[in-house]
Amino acid sequence: MLSLLLSHWPLNRRLLIGLLPILLLWFFVALHPGGDSEELRFLLIALATSATLLALAVLQSPEAFLVALPVRRNDLVRATYVAGLLAALLGLALPLAARWAVTGGSLPAGVLGNLALILVAEILALLVFLPLRFRLGPHGLTVFAGLLLAGLVALHLGPGVYAGIETVTETATRALAHPARTVPAALAAMALLGLLSSHLACAAFARRSF
Amino acid sequence: MPEPLLRLRGLTKRYRAFTLQEASLDLPPGSLMGLLGPNGAGKTTLLKAILGLVRLDAGTLTFQGRDLAQHGAELRRRIAFVPDTPAFQPGARLATLKEAHAPFYPGFDETRWKGLMADFGLDPRRKAQELSLGQRTRFALTLALAQDWDLLVLDEPTTGLDPVFRRELLQRFSEALDERRAILFSTHITSDLEDRADFVTFVRDGQVVLSDTQEAIKGRWGVVKGGLDLLDEPVRRAFKGLRETPHGFEALTDNLPGTRAHFGEQALVERPSLEDLLVLLGRKAHA
């Protein structure tokens, strides 16, 4: 698995290096005062960085090239999950580190909780997307986009997108008031979902022909 | 015959419009086997099954006496593969692609790879998307030939290559063989295999219709050419392939001496070329 994770690095290295100026520009914008609150600016940059790196990690692998390598298909699937998780974490850590370096350690109030929410949202997206990707190949992204769109439409026709997001945020804030109880429960739930998702992805990928 | 390096038994893969049906063959070490068949015959499906790229509906594959389905990840380190249309990450440079590929193959020889890149006229700094099909095939060949392989699987590697390079490449393949190695070479260019392949396997409509040494095939099989008046129902049935024109017929027999004796001077009976076999084997239609 380690060799698979490392194999992704040379393939994605140039793209990642190419993205650096854009990421730096985002950091620059986020650290300067503007129309939005400091917290919102910071969260937007964290979300953009993390989502970009996550997409890079899970979308770039050329399947035909990797499947022909002498590795088990299950290892290919698991390596993609791990690479996605690491990329999402790195994408949140980078702006956090940049902010830390510039301000000497101060963070807007409530930022860590919202970063955790972003991470959870990204992981959930990953857990839905990867089984689709491993079953349908490049078409998996289309189906995933369709599901996202359907979700947004359902929210729009129901309580409204903003109200929906607000409800989730309020629920998470209430839950985080008792972190000793809620964090382990949330981690356990995510781990279970992760196992289910990777099991589905492995089973789907084993059936694919190239 | 020594224990086969590669043994396929009853490989079956069903697609909507095509089925590879119970394909079986043995490839002994130290030999080059040509896999011949028209486009869409099932050659690529068969090769992809060896590489684990298609999920089989039935059949077993053993390599060096071990089950490829169970020990595929380990055994395939000893198998080098050149696909018919090599796919690489478009934006990646050739050196980067090699960097991602080499760690999976113990014994990958960097020096040899650099030499092959120079011999094949490829610049490691070029990007995969800038290469023509022929250049991509050349690059795939550098990766394969720099591995420490026991089995080299080639899917139409000479398609898209110029004749000079093709000849050099075929020479390299012959030189690379030793008593532990074997090559499985799919093509529809029969001249690549004539007098070079030790074994020849013909695939048609998803079936292995003939698999034997080239020597045995050419000793036993024959091409018959004659007038239509020689054809009656028992004769038609005896042929393994038949092509009729308004002026006569051309047919395949798997009993060269018997057919010579039967027709005498009435028909021309001669040893077949691989192209004769490819064109006529299994054919029963009128031209």
Side-chain angles (χ1 to χ4, degrees), chain B:
Chain B
M1 188 188 283
E3 181 72 14
L5 181 75
L6 179 73
R7 169 169 280 173
L8 316 184
R9 285 291 175 272
L11 297 195
T12 302
K13 173 68 187 171
R14 294 182 197 92
Y15 293 102
R16 263 177 228 159
F18 168 78
T19 300
L20 179 71
Q21 296 173 57
E22 300 190 6
S24 299
L25 60 86
D26 287 337
L27 176 60
S31 57
L32 191 157
M33 177 182 278
L35 194 60
L36 279 170
N39 290 331
K43 305 188 296 293
T44 296
T45 304
L46 202 145
L47 297 186
K48 282 184 170 179
I50 297 167
L51 273 296
L53 295 174
V54 297
R55 185 172 177 258
L56 289 169
D57 295 305
T60 57
L61 296 108
T62 51
F63 176 65
Q64 295 176 327
R66 298 172 71 198
D67 185 357
L68 259 173
Q70 278 185 19
H71 307 284
E74 181 194 342
L75 294 175
R76 286 188 185 105
R77 290 182 196 150
R78 309 295 306 168
I79 301 176
F81 176 49
V82 178
D84 56 346
T85 46
F88 302 109
Q89 186 148 314
R93 295 186 193 280
L94 302 188
T96 309
L97 288 165
K98 186 271 300 170
E99 219 180 306
H101 175 91
F104 293 95
Y105 298 93
F108 186 93
D109 189 335
E110 292 282 337
T111 313
R112 184 167 167 70
W113 179 75
K114 284 177 187 159
L116 286 163
M117 288 289 283
D119 290 352
F120 292 2
L122 292 168
D123 181 348
R125 290 167 300 182
R126 287 190 75 183
K127 291 181 178 175
Q129 72 207 31
E130 298 166 359
L131 304 183
S132 66
L133 172 63
Q135 286 172 320
R136 269 186 288 150
T137 302
R138 285 178 192 220
F139 177 62
L141 281 162
T142 67
L143 294 179
L145 293 172
Q147 284 172 227
D148 184 16
W149 52 269
D150 290 332
L151 173 64
L152 178 58
V153 178
L154 304 157
D155 192 1
E156 307 200 3
T158 53
T159 308
L161 300 179
D162 62 75
V164 178
F165 184 74
R166 224 175 84 203
R167 184 171 292 189
E168 283 174 21
L169 190 64
L170 293 168
Q171 186 59 33
R172 275 179 194 270
F173 293 154
S174 300
E175 286 167 3
L177 274 177
D178 60 28
E179 71 279 358
R180 77 177 166 92
R181 291 175 148 184
I183 297 177
L184 183 55
F185 186 149
S186 150
T187 185
H188 53 258
I189 306 172
T190 52
S191 59
D192 286 351
L193 300 174
E194 201 85 53
D195 304 325
R196 193 170 276 116
D198 305 294
F199 290 79
V200 185
T201 295
F202 287 89
V203 185
R204 192 175 192 109
D205 299 329
Q207 288 179 303
V208 171
V209 286
L210 174 63
S211 186
D212 209 337
T213 64
Q214 185 161 190
E215 194 184 347
I217 289 171
K218 291 195 171 169
R220 203 172 66 235
W221 288 68
V223 180
V224 189
K225 292 172 186 169
L228 293 172
D229 57 307
L230 297 175
L231 290 177
D232 57 22
E233 227 17 66
V235 167
R236 283 173 195 273
R237 275 202 303 274
F239 286 144
K240 300 298 176 189
L242 175 64
R243 181 171 169 266
E244 290 178 58
T245 68
H247 313 292
F249 75 90
E250 196 177 16
L252 263 186
T253 173
D254 61 352
N255 180 5
L256 183 64
T259 307
R260 274 191 175 137
H262 176 80
F263 286 113
E265 296 296 315
Q266 290 178 292
L268 179 67
V269 184
E270 55 190 12
R271 288 177 192 277
S273 66
L274 292 179
E275 186 162 329
D276 291 329
L277 285 156
L278 178 63
V279 170
L280 289 170
L281 199 59
R283 183 171 179 151
K284 293 284 182 186
H286 289 257

